[in-house]
Amino acid sequence: MSDKELFEMYNKDVYRTCYYMLHHAQDAEDVCHDVFITVFRQDWRKVEYMKTWLMRITVNHCLNFLKKKQSAKEREKKQFMLTAQTTAHSADQAMEQLEESEAWKQWIHELPDKIRSAILLRYVNELSLSEAAEILEVPIGTVKSRVYKGLRLLRKKWEKARKLHQKGEVYGEKYRKSIVSSSEK
């Protein structure tokens, strides 16, 4: 198998994992590119379980990217707190335009990194628990626990949104507060 064949075979899986972990298309493309550069620089032809190995590299690259991004956000937040808040109205308008699919993406994005990576490997990449455990380098029980916790957190957010929708308050103040409060927990 050539480098090109390897790329064509696994590019979609790697990109999809990057996209769901990072929630930004350009970042996902950049990290996907970095993953394949890393793979091509190594002796990948000797790897027995290619997809598992690739997904481990992908998750690690994504987690490293998120760590760098988080530290940058913290610096921006400190700087923002020193300036006046003039964008509150535009943020409210953006929340009112939130669609259900975007809510799910947001809810997944709000999950803790370790839980999100377990959910994405299990359900988006359709890997078995043992494959996800190998990629994340944790016991299978830990993957089960993370998947269970993630599904439980997503279910709670969905039920809150559904109840508010039934009351006709989907885009009202209570909905915004429920999203904000659930993401702070």
Side-chain angles (χ1 to χ4, degrees):
M1 179 185 307
S2 70
D3 289 352
K4 182 179 178 182
E5 291 170 335
L6 176 77
F7 178 79
E8 289 173 354
M9 184 177 292
Y10 295 106
N11 181 44
K12 289 181 182 178
D13 291 331
V14 170
Y15 175 79
R16 184 175 46 235
T17 301
C18 291
Y19 181 76
Y20 280 107
M21 285 190 74
L22 304 175
H23 254 43
H24 189 268
Q26 187 62 45
D27 291 343
E29 287 178 22
D30 292 344
V31 172
C32 181
H33 182 258
D34 292 343
V35 166
F36 280 103
I37 287 174
T38 301
V39 168
F40 294 147
R41 288 182 178 166
Q42 297 181 16
D43 194 9
W44 59 268
R45 287 177 177 81
K46 293 182 180 178
V47 175
E48 187 174 351
Y49 300 104
M50 182 60 66
K51 185 172 183 177
T52 304
W53 182 69
L54 263 173
M55 289 299 114
R56 177 182 297 159
I57 292 171
T58 302
V59 168
N60 287 339
H61 271 70
C62 289
L63 291 174
N64 289 339
F65 181 86
L66 288 170
K67 285 177 188 174
K68 289 177 188 174
K69 193 172 183 178
Q70 183 63 29
S71 63
K73 280 185 180 181
E74 288 173 8
R75 284 191 303 269
E76 287 177 18
K77 185 177 180 180
K78 288 177 184 176
Q79 187 177 19
F80 177 74
M81 292 180 80
L82 297 174
T83 62
Q85 293 181 331
T86 59
T87 60
H89 295 294
S90 62
D92 287 341
Q93 291 170 351
M95 285 300 291
E96 290 174 4
Q97 296 173 357
L98 188 66
E99 296 178 10
E100 186 175 313
S101 64
E102 291 175 2
W104 278 102
K105 289 178 187 177
Q106 181 64 31
W107 294 338
I108 290 172
H109 182 70
E110 290 171 356
L111 292 173
D113 293 340
K114 291 179 180 181
I115 292 174
R116 182 176 351 123
S117 60
I119 292 281
L120 294 175
L121 289 173
R122 181 72 175 114
Y123 295 107
V124 175
N125 286 308
E126 299 175 354
L127 296 176
S128 69
L129 290 170
S130 60
E131 290 172 322
E134 188 176 332
I135 290 168
L136 296 172
E137 298 177 328
V138 296
I140 292 176
T142 303
V143 174
K144 288 179 182 179
S145 173
R146 289 177 184 176
V147 168
Y148 175 78
K149 287 177 186 175
L151 292 176
R152 193 178 72 223
L153 291 169
L154 290 171
R155 188 176 299 119
K156 284 180 182 178
K157 290 180 182 193
W158 179 77
E159 287 173 355
K160 283 183 183 179
R162 187 182 63 159
K163 287 177 184 176
L164 292 172
H165 178 71
Q166 289 172 346
K167 292 180 180 178
E169 301 174 358
V170 173
Y171 299 112
E173 188 65 28
K174 287 184 181 179
Y175 181 69
R176 284 192 291 275
K177 287 180 182 177
S178 73
I179 290 175
V180 171
S181 67
S182 64
S183 66
E184 292 174 350
K185 290 182 182 176

